Amino acid sequence: AAATAAPEKKEFWRWQENTWFDETKNWKDAKIITCGIDVGSVSSQAVLVCDGELYGYNSMRTGNNSPDSAKNALQGIMDKIGMKLEDINYVVGTCYGRVNVPFAHKAITEIACHARGANYMGGNQVRTILDMGGQDCKAIHCDEKGKVTNFLMNDKCAAGTGRGMEVISDLMQIPIAELGPRSFDVETGPEAVSSICVVFAKSEALGLLKAGYTKNMVIAAYCQAMAERVVSLLERIGVKEGFFITGGIAKNPGVVKRIERLLGIKQVETKIDSQIAGALGAALFGYTLMQKQ
């Protein structure tokens, strides 16, 4: 008898990859086209800016190799719109892989790029930015032009980051996009998990399930712990009005609403995908540099 194929393992942590471009515009009409590439630990984004305005982007999972992730991210949007690399005037790389974007003209730190991107996305009232990345978390202060005035980061541990959420998603066997909404589907908000270390949180979560917690209660406890951890980082730098969240976790209402509750302020809303802030900032820096030339 023919061997039966092993059932495909469901990857609950796999978030939605996303490509978008502005169908009302034609990039061929632009005088200056710049590109920002943000190769992060978990996700990679390529953003195209035409004459200083967001035109399109591709957001996808980072592979094992930064140069390839950079190429694939850009290729994903260029293929959609019929563009070639030589059509782009200037490329800026940022984040972990910034030195590994082989076709970049310049590399700029992700702190500067997230502030610049948040300023574009949330407007010039943005003053405090929380960047919740795949493996680190940053609190940034900026001025009305999106220039960084101060920052703090937690990069010692994957807790309070996208990677931590992926671990919980896989453990609970619940798709990552459902975690936030399900965290509110509880009768009373459970205590935050005591240890938010990803390694220990895993065993603690299993312990809570054994003790009779529902999956939703465990998710709520984890979202609460994540929010508390992030707020302690924000409180060390001080939160000014005009609060804006960037990074993949900004899409998780279970964490965002709890952060807002703890801080007593609402974040500035945007219609643009929060995950592209770094790459968008990089592309905008590219536009400024091109104008100077």
Side-chain angles (χ1 to χ4, degrees):
T4 51
E8 203 180 322
K9 187 177 180 300
K10 190 158 167 44
E11 294 175 314
F12 292 96
W13 51 264
R14 218 172 246 295
W15 37 269
Q16 186 69 48
E17 296 185 340
N18 184 6
T19 310
W20 172 91
F21 67 95
D22 186 344
E23 293 178 22
T24 67
K25 295 193 181 95
N26 185 347
W27 61 267
K28 291 176 180 162
D29 299 334
K31 289 186 180 69
I32 299 177
I33 299 172
T34 56
C35 172
I37 307 248
D38 177 350
V39 181
S41 56
V42 167
S43 70
S44 295
Q45 286 79 32
V47 169
L48 294 171
V49 160
C50 290
D51 295 333
E53 293 290 320
L54 172 62
Y55 174 72
Y57 62 81
N58 181 31
S59 174
M60 61 192 293
R61 188 142 190 106
T62 296
N64 303 333
N65 170 314
S66 287
D68 283 354
S69 295
K71 281 193 199 103
N72 294 340
L74 179 54
Q75 204 60 51
I77 179 67
M78 290 198 304
D79 287 349
K80 269 250 156 83
I81 59 175
M83 185 186 273
K84 293 189 170 63
L85 186 57
E86 48 269 29
D87 295 320
I88 300 170
N89 302 96
Y90 203 92
V91 180
V92 174
T94 189
C95 205
Y96 293 104
R98 65 178 176 267
V99 289
N100 291 319
V101 179
F103 45 87
H105 298 86
K106 192 177 177 70
I108 296 178
T109 72
E110 68 264 34
I111 308 273
C113 289
H114 271 270
R116 184 74 182 268
N119 171 271
Y120 181 99
M121 290 158 77
N124 57 9
Q125 85 259 38
V126 171
R127 289 293 177 280
T128 305
I129 299 150
L130 170 64
D131 170 32
M132 300 180 79
Q135 283 185 354
D136 66 21
C137 213
K138 304 172 200 72
I140 306 165
H141 278 170
C142 68
D143 65 14
E144 72 285 352
K145 291 191 172 76
K147 189 168 182 287
V148 176
T149 55
N150 195 9
F151 75 92
L152 267 178
M153 70 190 287
N154 153 42
D155 56 356
K156 303 270 186 299
C157 166
T161 65
R163 188 70 198 101
M165 259 311 155
E166 290 180 358
V167 168
I168 292 297
S169 165
D170 233 28
L171 186 69
M172 296 290 133
Q173 300 213 311
I174 290 169
I176 198 154
E178 292 174 23
L179 292 183
R182 284 186 65 156
S183 76
F184 295 110
D185 196 3
V186 289
E187 287 187 10
T188 53
E191 290 286 300
V193 285
S194 58
S195 164
I196 187 168
C197 163
V198 169
V199 183
F200 294 123
K202 220 170 163 174
S203 52
E204 189 170 5
L206 291 168
L208 290 173
L209 289 171
K210 282 200 185 95
Y213 269 51
T214 63
K215 283 186 176 184
N216 288 0
M217 284 165 76
V218 174
I219 296 165
Y222 195 76
C223 286
Q224 183 64 28
M226 206 179 239
E228 285 176 12
R229 184 180 182 103
V230 166
V231 166
S232 70
L233 177 74
L234 284 165
E235 283 173 344
R236 275 165 49 208
I237 197 170
V239 180
K240 299 174 179 176
E241 277 293 338
F243 174 56
F244 193 82
I245 307 178
T246 63
I249 299 251
K251 298 175 185 175
N252 183 326
V255 179
V256 171
K257 287 190 174 134
R258 286 176 171 89
I259 293 170
E260 289 178 330
R261 202 179 294 160
L262 289 165
L263 290 175
I265 57 174
K266 286 256 179 258
Q267 66 158 339
V268 175
E269 298 283 337
T270 180
K271 290 193 163 61
I272 304 170
D273 185 338
S274 55
Q275 227 165 337
I276 70 160
L280 173 58
L284 292 166
F285 273 123
Y287 179 64
T288 304
L289 290 161
M290 275 303 292
Q291 281 181 305
K292 283 181 181 158
Q293 285 177 17

